[in-house]
Amino acid sequence: MGMLVFIISGLVILAYCSQASNERTYQEVVWAVCGKLTGVLCEVAIAVYTFGTCIAFLIIIGDQQDKIIAVMAKEPEGASGPWYTDRKFTISLTAFLFILPLSIPREIGFQKYASFLSVVGTWYVTAIVIIKYIWPDKEMTPGNILTRPASWMAVFNAMPTICFGFQCHVSSVPVFNSMQQPEVKTWGGVVTAAMVIALAVYMGTGICGFLTFGAAVDPDVLLSYPSEDMAVAVARAFIILSVLTSYPILHFCGRAVVEGLWLRYQGVPVEEDVGRERRRRVLQTLVWFLLTLLLALFIPDIGKVISVIGGLAACFIFVFPGLCLIQAKLSEMEEVKPASWWVLVSYGVLLVTLGAFIFGQTTANAIFVDLLA
Protein backbone atom coordinates (compact mmCIF):
# COMPACT_ATOMS: atom_id res chain seq x y z
CA MET A 1 0.00 0.00 0.00
CA GLY A 2 2.95 2.29 0.66
CA MET A 3 4.39 1.44 -2.76
CA LEU A 4 1.06 2.42 -4.31
CA VAL A 5 1.70 6.10 -3.49
CA PHE A 6 4.88 6.06 -5.57
CA ILE A 7 3.25 4.00 -8.34
CA ILE A 8 0.32 6.39 -8.74
CA SER A 9 2.53 9.48 -8.55
CA GLY A 10 4.72 8.04 -11.31
CA LEU A 11 1.69 7.72 -13.59
CA VAL A 12 0.65 11.31 -12.86
CA ILE A 13 4.19 12.59 -13.50
CA LEU A 14 4.27 10.84 -16.89
CA ALA A 15 0.93 12.40 -17.87
CA TYR A 16 2.17 15.86 -16.82
CA CYS A 17 5.39 15.48 -18.82
CA SER A 18 3.50 14.08 -21.82
CA GLN A 19 1.25 17.13 -21.84
CA ALA A 20 4.18 19.51 -21.38
CA SER A 21 6.32 17.92 -24.12
CA ASN A 22 3.40 17.08 -26.47
CA GLU A 23 4.68 13.51 -26.88
CA ARG A 24 2.40 10.47 -27.01
CA THR A 25 4.48 7.45 -25.91
CA TYR A 26 6.55 6.64 -22.83
CA GLN A 27 9.90 6.55 -24.63
CA GLU A 28 9.20 9.76 -26.56
CA VAL A 29 8.39 11.57 -23.32
CA VAL A 30 11.69 10.42 -21.79
CA TRP A 31 13.54 11.43 -24.98
CA ALA A 32 11.99 14.89 -25.00
CA VAL A 33 12.36 15.62 -21.28
CA CYS A 34 15.60 13.84 -20.31
CA GLY A 35 17.64 13.87 -23.52
CA LYS A 36 19.12 11.38 -25.97
CA LEU A 37 21.19 9.15 -23.66
CA THR A 38 18.40 8.58 -21.15
CA GLY A 39 15.97 8.14 -24.03
CA VAL A 40 18.05 5.37 -25.63
CA LEU A 41 18.46 3.60 -22.27
CA CYS A 42 14.71 3.81 -21.77
CA GLU A 43 14.00 2.33 -25.20
CA VAL A 44 16.39 -0.57 -24.67
CA ALA A 45 14.86 -1.25 -21.24
CA ILE A 46 11.32 -1.22 -22.69
CA ALA A 47 12.32 -3.62 -25.47
CA VAL A 48 13.89 -6.09 -23.00
CA TYR A 49 11.02 -5.78 -20.52
CA THR A 50 8.20 -6.22 -23.03
CA PHE A 51 10.04 -9.14 -24.63
CA GLY A 52 10.41 -10.88 -21.26
CA THR A 53 6.79 -10.16 -20.35
CA CYS A 54 5.59 -11.74 -23.60
CA ILE A 55 7.56 -14.87 -22.67
CA ALA A 56 5.89 -14.89 -19.25
CA PHE A 57 2.45 -14.58 -20.86
CA LEU A 58 3.06 -17.61 -23.07
CA ILE A 59 4.22 -19.62 -20.05
CA ILE A 60 0.98 -18.68 -18.25
CA ILE A 61 -1.04 -19.94 -21.22
CA GLY A 62 0.80 -23.26 -21.09
CA ASP A 63 0.30 -23.60 -17.32
CA GLN A 64 -3.47 -23.09 -17.54
CA GLN A 65 -3.97 -25.17 -20.68
CA ASP A 66 -2.20 -28.15 -19.09
CA LYS A 67 -4.79 -28.24 -16.31
CA ILE A 68 -7.78 -27.67 -18.62
CA ILE A 69 -6.66 -30.40 -21.02
CA ALA A 70 -6.14 -32.80 -18.12
CA VAL A 71 -9.80 -32.34 -17.17
CA MET A 72 -11.10 -32.64 -20.73
CA ALA A 73 -9.01 -35.74 -21.46
CA LYS A 74 -9.78 -37.20 -18.00
CA GLU A 75 -6.09 -37.90 -17.45
CA PRO A 76 -4.55 -38.34 -13.97
CA GLU A 77 -2.14 -35.67 -12.74
CA GLY A 78 1.30 -36.02 -14.33
CA ALA A 79 0.25 -38.67 -16.86
CA SER A 80 1.43 -38.27 -20.46
CA GLY A 81 -1.34 -38.14 -23.06
CA PRO A 82 -1.52 -38.07 -26.87
CA TRP A 83 0.81 -35.81 -28.85
CA TYR A 84 -1.88 -33.18 -29.35
CA THR A 85 -2.10 -32.66 -25.57
CA ASP A 86 1.63 -31.98 -25.29
CA ARG A 87 2.38 -28.60 -23.66
CA LYS A 88 4.65 -27.39 -26.44
CA PHE A 89 2.07 -28.22 -29.11
CA THR A 90 -0.85 -26.57 -27.30
CA ILE A 91 1.10 -23.37 -26.56
CA SER A 92 2.24 -23.15 -30.19
CA LEU A 93 -1.26 -23.81 -31.56
CA THR A 94 -2.89 -21.18 -29.33
CA ALA A 95 -0.16 -18.66 -30.11
CA PHE A 96 -0.41 -19.10 -33.88
CA LEU A 97 -4.22 -19.11 -33.96
CA PHE A 98 -4.92 -16.19 -31.63
CA ILE A 99 -1.88 -14.18 -30.53
CA LEU A 100 -0.12 -13.78 -33.88
CA PRO A 101 -3.20 -12.44 -35.75
CA LEU A 102 -3.88 -9.98 -32.89
CA SER A 103 -0.26 -8.77 -32.89
CA ILE A 104 0.12 -7.89 -36.57
CA PRO A 105 -2.33 -4.92 -36.89
CA ARG A 106 -0.89 -1.42 -36.70
CA GLU A 107 -3.39 -0.23 -34.06
CA ILE A 108 -4.68 -2.02 -30.95
CA GLY A 109 -7.79 0.02 -30.14
CA PHE A 110 -10.08 -2.80 -31.31
CA GLN A 111 -8.99 -4.91 -28.31
CA LYS A 112 -10.73 -2.71 -25.73
CA TYR A 113 -13.80 -4.99 -25.61
CA ALA A 114 -11.80 -8.18 -25.11
CA SER A 115 -9.66 -6.37 -22.54
CA PHE A 116 -12.81 -5.49 -20.57
CA LEU A 117 -13.75 -9.18 -20.48
CA SER A 118 -10.26 -10.02 -19.21
CA VAL A 119 -10.67 -7.52 -16.36
CA VAL A 120 -13.97 -9.15 -15.37
CA GLY A 121 -12.20 -12.51 -15.57
CA THR A 122 -9.50 -11.29 -13.21
CA TRP A 123 -12.15 -10.35 -10.64
CA TYR A 124 -13.62 -13.83 -11.03
CA VAL A 125 -10.23 -15.44 -10.35
CA THR A 126 -9.83 -13.39 -7.16
CA ALA A 127 -13.35 -14.32 -6.02
CA ILE A 128 -12.64 -18.03 -6.58
CA VAL A 129 -9.36 -17.93 -4.61
CA ILE A 130 -11.05 -16.14 -1.70
CA ILE A 131 -14.05 -18.51 -1.71
CA LYS A 132 -11.78 -21.57 -1.83
CA TYR A 133 -9.95 -20.24 1.22
CA ILE A 134 -13.13 -19.57 3.21
CA TRP A 135 -14.77 -22.87 2.20
CA PRO A 136 -11.83 -25.16 1.34
CA ASP A 137 -12.12 -28.57 -0.26
CA LYS A 138 -11.06 -31.50 1.88
CA GLU A 139 -7.95 -32.27 -0.19
CA MET A 140 -6.56 -28.75 0.26
CA THR A 141 -4.22 -29.03 3.25
CA PRO A 142 -2.03 -25.96 3.78
CA GLY A 143 1.70 -26.44 4.17
CA ASN A 144 3.90 -24.48 6.53
CA ILE A 145 2.55 -20.90 6.83
CA LEU A 146 5.33 -18.42 7.50
CA THR A 147 4.35 -15.39 9.58
CA ARG A 148 7.56 -13.39 9.12
CA PRO A 149 10.45 -13.34 6.63
CA ALA A 150 13.65 -15.24 7.37
CA SER A 151 15.57 -11.93 7.30
CA TRP A 152 14.83 -8.29 6.59
CA MET A 153 16.46 -8.65 3.17
CA ALA A 154 13.99 -11.40 2.28
CA VAL A 155 11.27 -8.74 2.16
CA PHE A 156 12.80 -7.43 -1.04
CA ASN A 157 12.31 -10.81 -2.74
CA ALA A 158 8.69 -9.72 -3.22
CA MET A 159 9.70 -6.52 -5.03
CA PRO A 160 10.02 -8.03 -8.55
CA THR A 161 6.51 -9.47 -8.36
CA ILE A 162 5.03 -6.25 -6.96
CA CYS A 163 6.71 -4.15 -9.66
CA PHE A 164 5.78 -6.64 -12.38
CA GLY A 165 2.15 -6.67 -11.22
CA PHE A 166 1.70 -2.90 -10.99
CA GLN A 167 3.80 -1.85 -13.98
CA CYS A 168 1.43 -0.27 -16.48
CA HIS A 169 3.50 2.89 -16.92
CA VAL A 170 4.90 2.01 -20.37
CA SER A 171 1.41 1.83 -21.89
CA SER A 172 -0.04 4.60 -19.69
CA VAL A 173 1.12 7.52 -21.85
CA PRO A 174 -0.72 6.35 -25.01
CA VAL A 175 -3.78 5.64 -22.86
CA PHE A 176 -3.65 9.13 -21.35
CA ASN A 177 -3.45 10.71 -24.79
CA SER A 178 -6.35 8.60 -26.07
CA MET A 179 -8.73 10.17 -23.53
CA GLN A 180 -11.38 12.50 -24.97
CA GLN A 181 -10.11 15.25 -22.67
CA PRO A 182 -6.58 14.37 -21.50
CA GLU A 183 -6.25 16.34 -18.28
CA VAL A 184 -3.78 15.51 -15.51
CA LYS A 185 -6.35 16.02 -12.74
CA THR A 186 -8.86 13.63 -14.35
CA TRP A 187 -6.06 11.18 -15.07
CA GLY A 188 -5.06 11.19 -11.41
CA GLY A 189 -8.55 10.02 -10.45
CA VAL A 190 -8.59 7.34 -13.14
CA VAL A 191 -5.24 5.80 -12.21
CA THR A 192 -5.99 5.96 -8.47
CA ALA A 193 -9.23 4.01 -9.00
CA ALA A 194 -7.46 1.52 -11.27
CA MET A 195 -4.59 0.94 -8.84
CA VAL A 196 -6.94 0.51 -5.86
CA ILE A 197 -8.85 -2.14 -7.83
CA ALA A 198 -5.57 -3.85 -8.76
CA LEU A 199 -4.45 -3.71 -5.11
CA ALA A 200 -7.68 -5.40 -3.99
CA VAL A 201 -7.28 -8.10 -6.64
CA TYR A 202 -3.63 -8.79 -5.81
CA MET A 203 -4.09 -8.76 -2.05
CA GLY A 204 -7.17 -10.97 -2.18
CA THR A 205 -5.51 -13.49 -4.47
CA GLY A 206 -2.09 -13.37 -2.81
CA ILE A 207 -3.14 -13.55 0.83
CA CYS A 208 -5.93 -16.12 0.44
CA GLY A 209 -3.91 -18.20 -2.03
CA PHE A 210 -0.97 -18.34 0.39
CA LEU A 211 -3.13 -19.13 3.42
CA THR A 212 -4.83 -21.94 1.47
CA PHE A 213 -1.62 -23.76 0.52
CA GLY A 214 1.09 -22.24 2.73
CA ALA A 215 4.70 -22.50 1.62
CA ALA A 216 3.72 -25.28 -0.80
CA VAL A 217 1.81 -22.84 -3.02
CA ASP A 218 2.84 -22.83 -6.68
CA PRO A 219 4.26 -19.59 -8.17
CA ASP A 220 1.22 -19.75 -10.45
CA VAL A 221 -1.43 -20.12 -7.73
CA LEU A 222 -4.10 -21.71 -9.94
CA LEU A 223 -1.77 -24.66 -10.55
CA SER A 224 -2.10 -25.56 -6.87
CA TYR A 225 -5.80 -26.39 -7.27
CA PRO A 226 -7.02 -29.80 -8.54
CA SER A 227 -7.50 -30.05 -12.31
CA GLU A 228 -11.05 -31.39 -11.99
CA ASP A 229 -12.36 -28.35 -10.07
CA MET A 230 -14.74 -26.76 -12.60
CA ALA A 231 -14.94 -23.34 -10.93
CA VAL A 232 -11.14 -23.09 -11.05
CA ALA A 233 -11.17 -24.39 -14.65
CA VAL A 234 -13.35 -21.39 -15.61
CA ALA A 235 -10.84 -19.14 -13.81
CA ARG A 236 -8.05 -20.69 -15.89
CA ALA A 237 -10.00 -19.95 -19.07
CA PHE A 238 -10.37 -16.31 -17.99
CA ILE A 239 -6.62 -16.08 -17.31
CA ILE A 240 -5.92 -17.39 -20.81
CA LEU A 241 -8.31 -14.78 -22.25
CA SER A 242 -6.56 -12.06 -20.24
CA VAL A 243 -3.15 -13.11 -21.51
CA LEU A 244 -4.35 -13.42 -25.11
CA THR A 245 -5.34 -9.73 -25.03
CA SER A 246 -2.33 -8.57 -23.00
CA TYR A 247 0.41 -10.08 -25.19
CA PRO A 248 -0.45 -7.96 -28.29
CA ILE A 249 -0.56 -4.77 -26.19
CA LEU A 250 2.91 -5.38 -24.71
CA HIS A 251 4.19 -6.47 -28.11
CA PHE A 252 2.82 -3.23 -29.62
CA CYS A 253 4.88 -1.20 -27.13
CA GLY A 254 8.00 -3.28 -27.74
CA ARG A 255 7.60 -3.17 -31.51
CA ALA A 256 7.26 0.62 -31.50
CA VAL A 257 10.49 0.92 -29.52
CA VAL A 258 12.43 -1.46 -31.78
CA GLU A 259 11.12 0.40 -34.82
CA GLY A 260 12.22 3.75 -33.41
CA LEU A 261 15.69 2.45 -32.53
CA TRP A 262 16.15 0.93 -35.99
CA LEU A 263 15.05 4.04 -37.89
CA ARG A 264 17.21 6.32 -35.74
CA TYR A 265 20.17 3.99 -36.36
CA GLN A 266 19.45 4.30 -40.10
CA GLY A 267 19.19 8.08 -39.76
CA VAL A 268 15.61 8.15 -41.07
CA PRO A 269 12.97 10.16 -39.16
CA VAL A 270 10.16 7.87 -38.01
CA GLU A 271 7.43 9.96 -39.59
CA GLU A 272 9.11 9.92 -43.04
CA ASP A 273 9.57 6.18 -43.52
CA VAL A 274 5.94 5.12 -44.04
CA GLY A 275 6.27 3.45 -47.44
CA ARG A 276 7.80 0.22 -46.14
CA GLU A 277 6.03 0.33 -42.79
CA ARG A 278 3.70 -2.64 -43.40
CA ARG A 279 6.45 -5.01 -44.57
CA ARG A 280 8.72 -3.97 -41.70
CA ARG A 281 5.91 -4.32 -39.15
CA VAL A 282 5.00 -7.86 -40.28
CA LEU A 283 8.66 -8.95 -40.27
CA GLN A 284 9.29 -7.48 -36.82
CA THR A 285 6.13 -9.11 -35.46
CA LEU A 286 7.06 -12.55 -36.83
CA VAL A 287 10.61 -12.42 -35.44
CA TRP A 288 9.40 -11.18 -32.03
CA PHE A 289 6.61 -13.77 -31.90
CA LEU A 290 8.79 -16.74 -32.86
CA LEU A 291 11.59 -15.84 -30.43
CA THR A 292 9.24 -15.40 -27.47
CA LEU A 293 7.44 -18.64 -28.35
CA LEU A 294 10.67 -20.65 -28.57
CA LEU A 295 11.93 -19.34 -25.22
CA ALA A 296 8.56 -19.94 -23.54
CA LEU A 297 8.61 -23.57 -24.69
CA PHE A 298 11.91 -24.20 -22.92
CA ILE A 299 11.47 -22.01 -19.80
CA PRO A 300 8.67 -23.69 -17.82
CA ASP A 301 8.95 -21.59 -14.62
CA ILE A 302 7.31 -18.16 -14.76
CA GLY A 303 8.98 -17.23 -11.45
CA LYS A 304 12.43 -17.13 -13.08
CA VAL A 305 11.20 -14.80 -15.84
CA ILE A 306 9.50 -12.41 -13.41
CA SER A 307 12.55 -12.31 -11.13
CA VAL A 308 14.69 -11.11 -14.04
CA ILE A 309 12.35 -8.52 -15.57
CA GLY A 310 10.82 -7.34 -12.28
CA GLY A 311 13.85 -5.14 -11.66
CA LEU A 312 13.33 -3.42 -15.01
CA ALA A 313 9.73 -2.73 -14.03
CA ALA A 314 11.08 -0.72 -11.08
CA CYS A 315 12.90 1.53 -13.58
CA PHE A 316 9.64 2.32 -15.41
CA ILE A 317 7.74 2.91 -12.16
CA PHE A 318 10.37 4.93 -10.27
CA VAL A 319 13.58 5.84 -12.11
CA PHE A 320 12.38 7.31 -15.42
CA PRO A 321 9.37 9.20 -13.94
CA GLY A 322 11.69 10.57 -11.25
CA LEU A 323 14.20 11.73 -13.85
CA CYS A 324 11.40 13.32 -15.90
CA LEU A 325 10.13 15.20 -12.85
CA ILE A 326 13.61 16.49 -11.98
CA GLN A 327 14.34 17.61 -15.54
CA ALA A 328 10.91 19.22 -15.94
CA LYS A 329 11.37 21.30 -12.80
CA LEU A 330 15.00 22.19 -13.60
CA SER A 331 13.92 23.53 -17.01
CA GLU A 332 11.64 26.11 -15.41
CA MET A 333 13.00 29.62 -15.81
CA GLU A 334 11.87 31.13 -12.50
CA GLU A 335 14.72 32.92 -10.70
CA VAL A 336 13.21 32.48 -7.25
CA LYS A 337 12.18 28.90 -6.67
CA PRO A 338 9.10 28.41 -4.45
CA ALA A 339 9.02 25.78 -1.71
CA SER A 340 6.88 23.50 -3.92
CA TRP A 341 9.70 23.44 -6.50
CA TRP A 342 12.18 22.10 -3.97
CA VAL A 343 9.65 19.57 -2.68
CA LEU A 344 9.01 18.18 -6.18
CA VAL A 345 12.71 18.02 -7.06
CA SER A 346 13.40 16.21 -3.78
CA TYR A 347 10.57 13.81 -4.51
CA GLY A 348 12.05 13.12 -7.94
CA VAL A 349 15.42 12.34 -6.33
CA LEU A 350 13.65 9.99 -3.89
CA LEU A 351 11.94 8.17 -6.76
CA VAL A 352 15.21 7.70 -8.65
CA THR A 353 17.05 6.50 -5.53
CA LEU A 354 14.31 4.06 -4.56
CA GLY A 355 14.02 2.70 -8.09
CA ALA A 356 17.78 2.27 -8.47
CA PHE A 357 17.96 0.37 -5.18
CA ILE A 358 15.08 -1.97 -6.10
CA PHE A 359 16.52 -2.55 -9.58
CA GLY A 360 20.01 -3.34 -8.26
CA GLN A 361 18.81 -5.58 -5.42
CA THR A 362 16.26 -7.57 -7.43
CA THR A 363 18.49 -7.99 -10.47
CA ALA A 364 21.43 -9.20 -8.35
CA ASN A 365 19.12 -11.57 -6.50
CA ALA A 366 17.73 -12.92 -9.78
CA ILE A 367 21.21 -13.57 -11.17
CA PHE A 368 22.75 -15.21 -8.10
CA VAL A 369 19.70 -17.01 -6.67
CA ASP A 370 17.38 -17.86 -9.56
CA LEU A 371 19.71 -18.17 -12.56
CA LEU A 372 22.97 -19.44 -11.07
CA ALA A 373 21.46 -21.57 -8.29
Side-chain angles (χ1 to χ4, degrees):
M1 293 178 70
M3 292 271 288
L4 214 60
V5 175
F6 298 106
I7 292 168
I8 293 172
S9 67
L11 290 166
V12 174
I13 290 168
L14 289 169
Y16 168 77
C17 292
S18 171
Q19 203 169 57
S21 62
N22 199 30
E23 299 291 353
R24 301 179 63 86
T25 66
Y26 188 103
Q27 63 272 18
E28 288 170 355
V29 168
V30 175
W31 260 87
V33 178
C34 300
K36 180 178 179 181
L37 177 60
T38 308
V40 171
L41 289 175
C42 177
E43 289 186 325
V44 172
I46 291 176
V48 173
Y49 177 81
T50 51
F51 186 81
T53 305
C54 288
I55 296 172
F57 286 161
L58 291 172
I59 294 173
I60 292 173
I61 290 177
D63 289 345
Q64 307 311 324
Q65 284 182 334
D66 286 348
K67 290 283 190 176
I68 293 175
I69 291 172
V71 174
M72 296 175 62
K74 294 182 171 58
E75 297 174 356
E77 292 281 342
S80 59
W83 61 269
Y84 52 83
T85 64
D86 180 74
R87 177 189 177 94
K88 294 179 180 178
F89 175 77
T90 56
I91 293 177
S92 301
L93 182 65
T94 303
F96 274 101
L97 287 180
F98 299 104
I99 292 180
L100 182 58
L102 290 173
S103 300
I104 290 178
R106 183 176 182 179
E107 302 294 337
I108 55 175
F110 68 92
Q111 295 194 51
K112 59 185 177 182
Y113 304 108
S115 295
F116 174 76
L117 282 178
S118 70
V119 171
V120 174
T122 304
W123 294 342
Y124 175 82
V125 172
T126 302
I128 288 297
V129 173
I130 293 173
I131 290 170
K132 291 291 182 182
Y133 167 65
I134 298 173
W135 295 287
D137 296 333
K138 291 182 180 179
E139 62 268 23
M140 293 182 188
T141 303
N144 181 34
I145 298 178
L146 302 175
T147 57
R148 62 180 66 243
S151 67
W152 72 272
M153 283 297 292
V155 174
F156 294 100
N157 294 338
M159 287 299 179
T161 305
I162 293 174
C163 293
F164 181 80
F166 282 102
Q167 196 292 120
C168 56
H169 296 58
V170 172
S171 53
S172 70
V173 179
V175 172
F176 169 72
N177 285 286
S178 69
M179 296 172 65
Q180 290 183 349
Q181 294 180 331
E183 297 177 358
V184 175
K185 186 177 180 179
T186 305
W187 176 251
V190 170
V191 297
T192 300
M195 291 299 104
V196 169
I197 291 172
L199 177 68
V201 167
Y202 289 146
M203 289 188 70
T205 306
I207 292 172
C208 293
F210 178 71
L211 292 177
T212 302
F213 300 103
V217 68
D218 195 277
D220 186 341
V221 67
L222 290 183
L223 296 185
S224 297
Y225 295 93
S227 298
E228 61 274 9
D229 192 316
M230 290 309 298
V232 177
V234 174
R236 293 189 178 105
F238 271 123
I239 289 295
I240 292 174
L241 174 63
S242 176
V243 171
L244 288 177
T245 59
S246 299
Y247 181 108
I249 294 172
L250 266 294
H251 164 259
F252 176 83
C253 296
R255 186 178 68 198
V257 167
V258 172
E259 170 121 337
L261 284 171
W262 171 253
L263 292 179
R264 287 192 186 94
Y265 175 76
Q266 294 289 318
V268 179
V270 177
E271 60 274 8
E272 292 183 10
D273 191 35
V274 295
R276 293 175 292 178
E277 185 275 333
R278 177 178 173 80
R279 182 176 62 183
R280 192 172 59 248
R281 168 165 45 89
V282 172
L283 179 61
Q284 288 173 347
T285 300
L286 285 173
V287 172
W288 182 288
F289 170 79
L290 292 174
L291 286 176
T292 55
L293 178 59
L294 284 172
L295 288 170
L297 296 179
F298 296 99
I299 305 177
D301 187 358
I302 187 177
K304 293 187 181 299
V305 177
I306 291 177
S307 67
V308 173
I309 63 177
L312 279 177
C315 294
F316 304 129
I317 295 173
F318 302 103
V319 176
F320 291 119
L323 289 173
C324 286
L325 179 60
I326 294 170
Q327 290 296 328
K329 302 311 291 183
L330 290 177
S331 63
E332 294 179 358
M333 303 303 293
E334 299 175 358
E335 293 186 7
V336 179
K337 309 297 184 185
S340 60
W341 187 92
W342 293 101
V343 170
L344 290 174
V345 170
S346 300
Y347 185 69
V349 173
L350 175 62
L351 283 177
V352 174
T353 304
L354 181 61
F357 172 76
I358 294 174
F359 171 74
Q361 194 276 333
T362 55
T363 304
N365 186 73
I367 293 172
F368 291 108
V369 176
D370 293 319
L371 299 182
L372 300 181

